[in-house]
Amino acid sequence: MMFKKIEKNGFYYGFPVILMTTKDKETGKDNITPLSSSFVLGNSIIIGIGMGNKGFQNIETGSDATFNIPDEKLYENVKSIEKFTGTTEISEVKQKLGYIYCKNKFEAGKFTEMPGETVKTMRIKECPIHLETEVTDIIKKDWFAIVNFEIKGIFVSEDILKDGIHIDTQKWKPLIYKFREYTSTGERLGLNFNFQEI
């Protein structure tokens, strides 16, 4: 096997798509921000987000966040909002990429609002998993920020649960963003020694 050093702008080797909902302090309306850079450790979820995003602006002004995790069936819905932004002042970079302002991404993506239970942000009914969170830390970098959230509530659709508490990993097919393409999980290869969803 031979290897070559390459240069890439954004090395998205494969992450679940998440739809973050945040509340605009001025209007009281929720915004949806599609994201691909996240990870969970313990009771924390950590994301990378551009500081020009409406979602980040809402977080910075005190909004909670709900992470709605779509499955592969929601590909078209996610695709329909990928070029929309919740900010009326669109940066030159985003304009060149083709972003346009959208007042209501719930309507544009054919998503249904569900009130949060432990935080004030909306959940997206069509997504099988919701993580309600509060911001604990923001670290600003060049043009993006690393944001740490504490998970306050986890909600899972009964359609992918078995015995009421475990996720049926054979049914759960998250939408994956990999090198700027959308895909999902394939067949099971095996189980980690610490597999708990039994």
Side-chain angles (χ1 to χ4, degrees):
M1 198 178 334
M2 299 291 288
F3 294 89
K4 182 179 180 182
K5 183 177 183 290
I6 64 171
E7 301 293 331
K8 288 192 84 66
N9 181 19
F11 197 69
Y12 300 101
Y13 53 82
F15 304 87
V17 172
I18 52 177
L19 300 175
M20 180 181 74
T21 51
T22 55
K23 196 167 292 296
D24 186 313
K25 194 175 185 179
E26 292 180 12
T27 66
K29 300 290 183 187
D30 279 60
N31 179 66
I32 300 174
T33 305
L35 298 169
S36 62
S37 299
S38 71
F39 66 93
V40 175
L41 281 175
N43 203 35
S44 294
I45 180 169
I46 298 162
I47 66 162
I49 182 171
M51 288 189 282
N53 284 314
K54 181 64 175 171
F56 177 74
Q57 294 165 10
N58 290 344
I59 287 166
E60 202 173 30
T61 56
S63 177
D64 298 326
T66 297
F67 296 97
N68 305 274
I69 308 174
D71 61 13
E72 62 185 3
K73 291 180 258 183
L74 292 173
Y75 159 69
E76 294 289 350
N77 304 71
V78 171
K79 183 87 176 132
S80 71
I81 65 167
E82 69 179 1
K83 276 198 171 183
F84 290 151
T85 178
T87 56
T88 52
E89 294 178 19
I90 305 170
S91 70
E92 190 176 326
V93 172
K94 280 195 167 187
Q95 285 180 39
K96 285 180 181 176
L97 290 170
Y99 280 87
I100 56 172
Y101 169 68
C102 179
K103 185 177 181 180
N104 189 336
K105 292 186 208 170
F106 279 93
E107 188 177 285
K110 297 180 180 163
F111 292 122
T112 308
E113 290 182 299
M114 283 182 73
E117 289 193 22
T118 62
V119 297
K120 294 178 181 175
T121 42
M122 289 289 174
R123 291 151 59 190
I124 298 174
K125 184 176 182 178
E126 291 75 14
C127 292
I129 297 177
H130 309 144
L131 304 175
E132 294 185 347
T133 71
E134 292 178 353
V135 179
T136 58
D137 192 33
I138 299 174
I139 301 169
K140 293 183 179 179
K141 296 287 191 180
D142 181 20
W143 55 271
F144 66 94
I146 306 297
V147 188
N148 191 341
F149 302 82
E150 182 182 352
I151 298 171
K152 294 296 184 179
I154 300 171
F155 302 88
V156 179
S157 168
E158 292 182 1
D159 292 344
I160 60 169
L161 282 180
K162 53 186 177 183
D163 64 32
I165 56 169
H166 292 104
I167 294 170
D168 187 337
T169 58
Q170 299 284 63
K171 289 183 180 177
W172 172 230
K173 303 285 186 188
L175 184 61
I176 305 290
Y177 187 67
K178 178 184 71 174
F179 293 111
R180 302 188 193 275
E181 75 173 9
Y182 295 102
T183 184
S184 188
T185 54
E187 295 302 312
R188 175 185 281 168
L189 300 178
L191 302 177
N192 179 270
F193 76 96
N194 198 27
F195 182 76
Q196 296 177 0
E197 299 301 322
I198 51 175

